[in-house]
Amino acid sequence: MDLNLLNQTLRDERQVKAEIEKIRRILTRPWVLMEICGGQTHAIMQSGLDQLLPAEIELVHGPGCPVCVTPLELIDKALAIAARPEVIFCSFGDMLRVPGSNRDLFSLRASGADVRVVYSPLDAVKIAQQNPQREVVFFAIGFETTAPPNAMSVLQAKALGLKNYSVLVSQVLVPPAMHAILSAPQNRVQGFLLAGHVCTVMGYQDYLPIAEQYYVPMAVTGFEPLDLVRGIYSVVTMLENNEVRVENAYARVVKPEGNPAAQAIIQRVFQPVDRNWRGIGRIPHSGWGLRPEFSEFDAELRFDVGSIQTHESPLCIAGEILQGLKKPFNCTAFGDPCTPQNPLGAPMVSAEGACAAYYRFARTNSTGMG
């Protein structure tokens, strides 16, 4: 099918409303569903799906925003490294406004630090080639989706013999975060919409034992309105029939096994590690770190920033929002003083942050959002 025609179909209002009507017809009780990915949160808000769905369907927003869950101590480590005069610090743009304990990378750049926005980690490798007298550090954040290019940058730097390139790693994984959410005593989530782009890389077989352990149905979904409502219909159907599976509502892109070539690159460079998640805490085996044979590219070791002390804003409830326990408008700081221009927490900064989505699309308690 022609790509433009496919996009038109996936955004067709009549088809979306017809799918929502199918959901309405099978509903017998309220259900709480979590979309894991922040990109899905924004897509839901932008298309107004949250307001079109039956009131019995409550959508809560998961921790699948890499900017939001990057721990405060790592932001402060990034600031300490970027402040050094010999360093060119490279990052994706949405990390520049994420608040550390006292400032952010944007204000550090304004004060004279060499902080550069790149669109790929391979751009940072090229900068290292062009500046052999400087230390070039790439802020390697993200979920499974960004791990292959981040790993490739390390492999390329090693192949080129670059001694001035390193990565500050904050790679995190979706399945351990789901375990943490579902095992919490206060958990409310009854079904999951899984992130299509993560499953494109990793497949969705790792979610099967989680679904069975917690008896929670799941569906892999994309980011277009029709993708999302089909995923919701799939999960609600399973809930109403007391069935548990992981269904693929994004089969045009996602295969059960994912992308083996990308997985091989990840496994070559990274190994499982415990990670701190901002607002949530330490989750065992929830991230990737560099393997010992690539330790020369570890910015934390190269710049000795292990003793950073952090100070989180006491007003921010990002952790509760990222676990689906509260909505952004439940935060007393939401909209004032916390705004995208003056963020107190990462979810108000990121293009995938739930707080930024609620602010941008004017979702408040009065709009019927739970």
Side-chain angles (χ1 to χ4, degrees), residues 192-207:
F192 278 98
L193 305 181
L194 300 176
H197 52 1
V198 170
C199 294
T200 300
V201 176
M202 303 304 295
Y204 53 87
Q205 294 170 335
D206 287 347
Y207 297 99

Side-chain angles (χ1 to χ4, degrees), residues 53-328:
L53 286 166
E56 292 87 349
I57 302 297
E58 181 183 358
L59 297 176
V60 295
H61 321 300
C65 163
V67 174
C68 303
V69 301
T70 300
L72 181 59
E73 64 265 23
L74 211 63
I75 301 296
D76 285 352
K77 288 177 182 180
L79 289 162
I81 293 169
R84 297 172 69 117
E86 75 274 21
V87 168
I88 299 173
F89 194 87
C90 299
S91 172
F92 297 134
D94 52 1
M95 290 303 298
L96 267 63
R97 292 298 306 277
V98 178
S101 291
N102 300 302
R103 64 190 313 182
D104 55 30
L105 287 166
F106 186 81
S107 64
L108 189 67
R109 184 172 71 170
S111 66
D114 196 344
V115 176
R116 305 186 188 183
V117 174
V118 295
Y119 298 97
S120 163
L122 298 181
D123 293 339
V125 174
K126 186 177 295 185
I127 292 171
Q129 284 182 280
Q130 295 168 345
N131 297 269
Q133 76 286 2
R134 303 282 300 279
E135 287 284 345
V136 177
V137 181
F138 176 68
F139 204 174
I141 73 156
F143 281 86
E144 293 93 332
T145 317
T146 64
N150 290 347
M152 276 302 302
S153 78
V154 174
L155 292 175
Q156 186 173 31
K158 191 174 183 70
L160 292 169
L162 295 179
K163 303 298 183 184
N164 65 325
Y165 180 74
S166 60
V167 288
L168 182 61
V169 181
S170 183
Q171 294 285 169
V172 286
L173 310 176
V174 172
M178 293 173 65
H179 274 292
I181 290 168
L182 290 169
S183 63
Q186 68 271 39
N187 170 56
R188 302 177 59 234
V189 180
Q190 298 166 294
F192 278 98
L193 305 181
L194 300 176
H197 52 1
V198 170
C199 294
T200 300
V201 176
M202 303 304 295
Y204 53 87
Q205 294 170 335
D206 287 347
Y207 297 99
L208 297 173
I210 302 175
E212 293 171 356
Q213 178 179 347
Y214 299 99
Y215 210 77
V216 173
M218 306 176 186
V220 182
T221 72
F223 299 84
E224 298 293 349
L226 195 56
D227 287 326
L228 289 160
V229 291
R230 284 174 174 168
I232 292 168
Y233 175 73
S234 176
V235 173
V236 170
T237 300
M238 287 186 278
L239 286 167
E240 289 285 346
N241 293 329
N242 196 28
E243 298 170 344
V244 171
R245 295 185 301 278
V246 178
E247 294 193 348
N248 186 4
Y250 199 31
R252 70 178 186 278
V253 174
V254 173
K255 307 302 179 190
E257 70 280 5
N259 184 331
Q263 294 167 27
I265 292 170
I266 294 169
Q267 294 304 317
R268 183 177 171 188
V269 175
F270 293 122
Q271 64 182 0
V273 296
D274 298 346
R275 283 272 178 219
N276 283 329
W277 293 54
R278 189 167 191 170
I280 298 175
R282 197 165 191 81
I283 302 177
H285 307 297
S286 64
W288 282 316
L290 291 172
R291 291 187 176 276
E293 56 266 38
F294 295 101
S295 61
E296 64 186 291
F297 298 100
D298 189 332
E300 290 192 63
L301 296 177
R302 183 173 296 194
F303 296 97
D304 190 23
V305 288
S307 58
I308 296 290
Q309 300 297 314
T310 62
H311 305 283
E312 190 75 80
S313 169
L315 299 177
C316 183
I317 63 167
E320 294 171 279
I321 293 168
L322 294 171
Q323 295 175 79
L325 302 176
K326 291 187 177 180
K327 300 287 179 69

